[in-house]
Amino acid sequence: MDSAVKYFENIWIEPPMDRILYRLGYKKTKTKLEKDQKEQIEELIWEGVSHCHPKGAFLILPITERTCHSITIGRHLVKSKSLAELLKNSEAAALMASTIGDEMIHAIEDEIKKENSVKAVIFDSTASQMADKTVAWVMDFINKTLQKEGKALTSMRYSPGYGDLDLRYQKIFFEELKLEKLGISLTKSYMMTPEKSVTAICGVENRIRREERNE
């Protein structure tokens, strides 16, 4: 496994229309949209996409120590029972990050200032789903690389601030991935800017052993 950080400066993400519409409250079986209404919303979604500039990065580090309450990834001790459980069958961990940049955030802020709340909400929904799909794209790339070695990522990913994984562990991503290269910065309270940025950890497992466990 390559131990160098891999960066992706220009990722093309097809907007997940169904997921964006669902986030906006539209449900296929319950919400009826007229053709012209749907076209208008999709036009605004595509306008939002034009403000998104997806980028990503990842690094695979060995798991050097573990207990039921903690896991050591490379040289970083992480105290989290949930993460230790997720990585219990993993030999390494993938640290990932993605962002859609700050242009979209400024576009949302501009629409709010104009009191165009509908457009702002559509932009925000688009931004959230594009950010999530960007980190999923990074996961897919890693899995395709690992497949050659008979390995695969855990299907679940874990992010700082989720469950018992403290938000302060964002520092590990910034230290190891040098996220300033993607235009991401960290506040004193460990929040990322631009807002629509994502960090996540997945385990790297042996596919054959995983299949044996699932039999």
Side-chain angles (χ1 to χ4, degrees):
M1 290 180 286
D2 192 351
S3 59
V5 181
K6 176 72 175 176
Y7 295 97
F8 306 97
E9 293 290 338
N10 296 289
I11 301 173
W12 165 245
I13 300 294
E14 184 80 20
M17 290 293 183
D18 287 347
R19 287 168 59 185
I20 294 170
L21 289 171
Y22 183 81
R23 188 180 176 93
L24 289 169
Y26 296 98
K27 300 177 182 179
K28 286 184 178 180
T29 57
K30 295 182 179 180
T31 308
K32 185 177 180 180
L33 282 175
E34 298 297 332
K35 185 179 179 182
D36 60 335
Q37 288 179 309
K38 188 174 182 182
E39 287 176 351
Q40 287 173 7
I41 293 170
E42 290 184 352
E43 185 177 332
L44 289 175
I45 289 172
W46 277 107
E47 184 180 341
V49 171
S50 72
H51 294 297
C52 297
H53 304 286
K55 299 178 181 181
F58 78 89
L59 171 67
I60 294 177
L61 292 174
I63 293 174
T64 53
E65 291 184 39
R66 69 181 79 226
T67 71
C68 61
H69 296 284
S70 68
I71 193 98
T72 302
I73 301 171
R75 56 192 175 82
H76 303 283
L77 173 64
V78 180
K79 295 180 179 180
S80 168
K81 185 177 180 180
S82 300
L83 185 63
E85 175 65 22
L86 175 67
L87 303 181
K88 66 181 180 181
N89 297 309
S90 299
E91 59 188 55
L95 305 182
M96 298 166 282
S98 70
T99 184
I100 59 169
D102 58 4
E103 183 181 320
M104 181 56 143
I105 306 305
H106 296 322
I108 294 170
E109 291 171 349
D110 287 344
E111 297 304 329
I112 292 173
K113 288 177 183 177
K114 295 174 186 176
E115 298 185 352
N116 193 345
S117 59
V118 172
K119 192 172 183 179
V121 168
I122 291 173
F123 274 15
D124 186 76
S125 177
T126 300
S128 295
Q129 293 304 317
M130 289 290 286
D132 189 69
K133 198 169 181 184
T134 300
V135 76
W137 185 97
V138 175
M139 285 182 66
D140 288 342
F141 181 94
I142 300 171
N143 266 325
K144 288 174 184 175
T145 303
L146 292 175
Q147 190 174 19
K148 303 170 186 176
E149 304 174 32
K151 297 178 173 61
L153 293 178
T154 53
S155 57
M156 182 180 175
R157 62 178 189 257
Y158 227 80
S159 297
Y162 179 79
D164 67 348
L165 184 60
D166 198 280
L167 194 60
R168 73 178 186 275
Y169 291 116
Q170 294 281 32
K171 293 188 296 184
I172 297 174
F173 294 87
F174 280 79
E175 185 175 337
E176 294 291 350
L177 298 178
K178 312 297 183 191
L179 293 183
E180 62 273 9
K181 293 184 178 182
L182 296 181
I184 306 174
S185 59
L186 193 65
T187 69
K188 291 181 180 179
S189 57
Y190 307 112
M191 300 298 291
M192 289 185 292
T193 58
E195 181 184 338
K196 303 300 183 180
S197 301
V198 180
T199 54
I201 302 173
C202 281
V204 177
E205 297 183 341
N206 184 298
R207 291 176 64 194
I208 296 175
R209 291 174 187 167
R210 183 162 73 182
E211 289 167 3
E212 289 175 347
R213 289 197 305 272
N214 293 334
E215 286 180 355

